Amino acid sequence: MGIAISAPQNSPKAEESFKDEIAKTLKDGFTADEVAAAKKAWLQERYVQRSQDQSMVNMLVARERYDRTMKFDESLESKVTALTVEQVTEALRHHVDLAAMVYVKAGDFKKAGVYQ
C-alpha cells in the first residue's frame, strides 16, 4: 500500500527510495484508494486460496492445529473489511520505526556496480 520503488534492486538509490516512501507514508498516511485496493487484493487472494484443493487442505489442517474453525476466517475477513484508513495508518505508525529498520542487502554487488 503506497510503497513503490523504481530503482534497481540492491542499489543505494533503491534503499533511499524505500526510506523516502516509508517516511512519506508515516507522515501523510495512506489514501482511501490505497487501503481499499489493498483490502480488495487481500480478500481476493484468500478467495483464490480457498478455491484450490491443496490450499484448502493446508488451511483446514492449520485451523485444526490451533483449534479454530472457518468462522475464524469469516471473522478475520469482516474485521479487515471494516478497517478504516485512519486505523491502518495508525497501525503503521505504531509498528514501524524508520530509524529501527534493518536493511539486508544480498547479491553480486561488484557485478551490479553498487556498494563498491
Side-chain angles (χ1 to χ4, degrees), residues 24-85:
K24 180 181 179 279
T25 306
L26 287 167
K27 178 180 174 274
D28 300 336
F30 293 108
T31 68
D33 288 343
E34 288 171 329
V35 172
K39 289 194 291 189
K40 181 180 177 184
W42 183 78
L43 286 168
Q44 286 177 336
E45 180 181 342
R46 291 180 63 85
Y47 296 151
V48 168
Q49 286 174 341
R50 285 194 294 262
S51 72
Q52 298 169 343
D53 291 344
Q54 189 60 49
S55 292
M56 193 66 191
V57 168
N58 291 339
M59 186 181 298
L60 291 171
V61 168
R63 298 303 168 269
E64 178 68 22
R65 178 180 300 138
Y66 296 109
D67 197 29
R68 295 177 177 159
T69 67
M70 293 301 291
K71 287 286 187 188
F72 171 83
D73 295 83
E74 181 180 25
S75 174
L76 177 63
E77 290 170 11
S78 292
K79 290 174 184 175
V80 169
T81 300
L83 286 172
T84 66
V85 172

